[in-house]
Amino acid sequence: MFDKSSFEEMKKEIESLLEDRKDKFESICRYLYDHVPYYNWVGFYLVDGSKKLKLGPYVGEPTVHTTISFGQGICGQAAQTKHNFVIQDVSKETNYLSCSPDVKSEIVIPMMKNGKVIGELDIDSHYLSPFDEKDEAFLEWICKMVTGNA
């Protein structure tokens, strides 16, 4: 099983990714997908100026959900409420937008700038209940780093 104490070591590598790359969102997606075995889909949704999220860089299976309205699905709820969503079993959610029958859980962290949601980091897992407060804190840190709020 993955040792979540690795998150602290991974922060150094992510910091160097952010310094060295123009395609920081894509680099982070690839890094997380490659280094955390239960992160089976990693992507960013970016606010398009209206109350919609547009799919940005991602790694994993293609999704039909390239545009999501605020309030729609877990991603839309996170954008609307400005709160993290940690869903350990998506089959128990009434407002879940299914991307793949393999997805069992999801974590969504809004990215904030000047009190407004500008995007979010969305991660799907093929495992039930893999996410905990360490994942949440690590992903919040990433979102703050990419928005310059760290």
Side-chain angles (χ1 to χ4, degrees), residues 25-26 29 41-46 53-59 66:
F25 290 119
E26 190 174 325
C29 290
W41 190 95
V42 179
F44 285 93
Y45 281 92
L46 304 171
L53 297 162
K54 298 258 187 199
L55 182 61
Y58 72 94
V59 176
T66 58

Side-chain angles (χ1 to χ4, degrees), residues 62-85:
T63 178
V64 298
H65 303 292
T66 58
T67 303
I68 300 173
S69 297
F70 278 35
Q72 181 185 26
I74 305 305
C75 288
Q77 285 179 279
Q80 185 174 46
T81 64
K82 302 179 183 177
H83 290 101
N84 299 344
F85 274 72

